[in-house]
Amino acid sequence: MERSPTTHHIPPQGAPKFHHLRLLRSRRVGPATYRRLLAEHGTARAALDALPDIAAAVGVSDYSICPEGVVAAELKAAQKAGARLLMQGDPDWPAVIDDLPDAPPLLWAIGQVELLKRPMIAMVGARNASSLGTRMAKALAADLTAAGFVVVSGLARGIDAAAHHAALQGGTVAVQAGGVDVVYPQENSALAQQIGAQGLRLSEMPMGLHPQARHFPARNRIIAGLSRAVVIVEAAAKSGSLITARNALDANRDVLAVPGHPFDARAAGCNMLIRDGATLIRSAADVIEVVGTLPCVAPELPLQMPDRPQAPDHPPKPLRGLRETAALHNLILNRLGVSPMAEDQLIRDLGGAAPVVTPALVDLELEGLIARSAGGLLSRTN
């Protein structure tokens, strides 16, 4: 059974957390805008008062802030679900997540929030996991929790579910793409209930929100941000697990991967990560060695396998690995704003070559982080 709805204090209308939630739920206010408004106006209440004028100044004449009734309904739904609202600065807030450039300011939680004080390791992978992949995930999760770590994953089918199941007794956190009270996929309903009772479920999304495709990359960044390292067990060449790996690099986390057979498409992403410098993992002991001996900001890892000798008078040609790609993505996102910008101008500002920048733009567009409008103009989506 999940915790009783009456065990958590829900902020009343007019309380500071009520205003903070209302600000974050207002139209066109994402984590970055939320923080900028608080910095400029001091309090959430003052930021809410200023929002209509700010919107009008940029040409939005019909702007209205989130109605109080919407926030009150969300708080009522949270009380019914037994969810607790965590805000940045609270004693139970996981400060480690603040390393993310777009860290969530608020999180809904169901379960044992004290797990957030323990060291966490993320484990993600394929939804259509193989038998060997599932066994590996279970073994890693069980051994890591036995060593005192909390296993974080995304409550998806396949590798995620296997990791959660194996880590239930030792400690597991499920980060959800929709509302914390909405279980997806439905086949994991019983698992979600167990996690709510023995572990912890988290979400930055409004209560009752059913997840859509664009919500999963946002969830993945939280999984990476909570964790000291991210372990990829099985992943296709183009998968959400690789987005999580990129998020981990953005937050200076270690990326670890379990190798697989070259003919298995489910192992292609892991093998690519290892080729590009991720640490090869065979057991929980390998994970613990990395996390226990390397600082959070890890040194650059070699991008080529050590058994590929190079002639001393011909230095190896540098490959564009995950760290370089993550750095380029950050540069692009820092340059772009909500005002559209021409692609060729962006490339000139970055001082890069079009063959290098253009693929990164495609990646960010597919992830929903930038949008392309008429005339090829680019802008950030939040």
Side-chain angles (χ1 to χ4, degrees):
M1 295 293 291
E2 295 183 5
R3 286 187 170 188
S4 167
T6 61
T7 59
H8 301 311
H9 175 68
I10 297 297
Q13 189 168 329
K17 278 191 176 182
F18 186 96
H19 297 315
H20 281 275
L21 185 58
R22 190 181 181 197
L23 177 62
L24 190 60
R25 297 296 184 245
S26 293
R27 188 159 50 107
R28 300 191 181 184
V29 178
T33 303
Y34 169 94
R35 289 189 174 85
R36 186 174 69 249
L37 289 169
L38 283 182
E40 292 174 354
H41 299 280
T43 66
R45 176 71 266 182
L48 285 166
D49 292 339
L51 260 180
D53 291 337
I54 295 171
V58 295
V60 182
S61 58
D62 60 343
Y63 187 87
S64 59
I65 61 178
C66 179
E68 290 185 349
V70 171
V71 177
E74 181 171 354
L75 293 172
K76 185 177 180 180
Q79 188 171 36
K80 182 179 179 181
R84 175 179 175 184
L85 183 60
L86 302 179
M87 190 172 75
Q88 192 175 26
D90 285 348
D92 292 318
W93 180 259
V96 66
I97 204 173
D98 294 335
D99 291 344
L100 292 175
D102 55 348
L106 303 168
L107 288 169
W108 282 113
I110 294 178
Q112 316 296 322
V113 295
E114 56 270 19
L115 289 175
L116 297 173
K117 298 299 183 184
R118 290 170 51 189
M120 291 176 268
I121 301 291
M123 192 178 304
V124 295
R127 287 171 171 80
N128 62 330
S130 68
S131 177
L132 282 175
T134 301
R135 285 165 54 194
M136 184 65 172
K138 289 179 177 178
L140 286 173
D143 291 345
L144 287 170
T145 54
F149 292 95
V150 172
V151 170
V152 183
S153 198
L155 198 58
R157 61 174 62 93
I159 296 299
D160 289 23
H164 284 309
H165 272 296
L168 265 175
Q169 299 300 320
T172 190
V173 174
V175 184
Q176 298 174 229
V180 74
D181 57 335
V182 177
V183 177
Y184 178 86
Q186 277 296 311
E187 67 194 64
N188 284 343
S189 294
L191 174 60
Q193 187 173 359
Q194 289 178 297
I195 295 172
Q198 299 173 251
L200 181 67
R201 284 162 38 199
L202 291 177
S203 176
E204 67 176 328
M205 297 298 177
M207 302 294 298
L209 179 73
H210 288 267
Q212 299 179 22
R214 68 178 185 274
H215 298 143
F216 289 92
R219 175 207 60 182
N220 292 346
R221 87 190 195 286
I222 296 176
I223 293 173
L226 286 171
S227 309
R228 291 189 177 186
V230 174
V231 179
I232 316 293
V233 177
E234 280 186 336
K238 294 183 179 180
S239 66
S241 298
L242 298 193
I243 296 176
T244 308
R246 189 176 301 127
N247 292 145
L249 291 171
D250 290 345
N252 291 315
R253 307 296 196 256
D254 289 299
V255 175
L256 321 175
V258 175
H261 195 285
F263 288 168
D264 188 346
R266 288 169 296 200
C270 289
N271 292 339
M272 286 169 51
L273 289 170
I274 293 168
R275 179 200 65 190
D276 291 342
T279 303
L280 186 151
I281 293 302
R282 301 161 299 175
S283 67
D286 290 339
V287 179
I288 294 168
E289 180 182 358
V290 171
V291 174
T293 59
L294 293 181
C296 188
V297 181
E300 287 290 332
L301 297 174
L303 292 176
Q304 289 186 302
M305 298 299 285
D307 57 351
R308 293 181 184 173
Q310 297 284 340
D313 57 338
H314 294 290
K317 183 179 179 181
L319 302 176
R320 179 157 294 277
L322 281 171
R323 292 186 185 276
E324 292 87 347
T325 301
L328 178 56
H329 286 184
N330 277 336
L331 286 174
I332 293 171
L333 292 174
N334 287 337
R335 283 284 183 177
L336 288 176
V338 293
S339 299
M341 181 181 190
E343 181 174 339
D344 58 349
Q345 181 63 52
L346 173 65
I347 293 173
R348 284 196 297 270
D349 288 351
L350 291 171
V356 174
V357 177
T358 300
L361 293 174
V362 174
D363 286 345
L364 292 170
E365 190 176 356
L366 290 173
E367 292 176 34
L369 297 176
I370 66 174
R372 191 181 298 271
S373 53
L377 299 178
L378 301 169
S379 61
R380 285 191 66 156
T381 55
N382 59 22

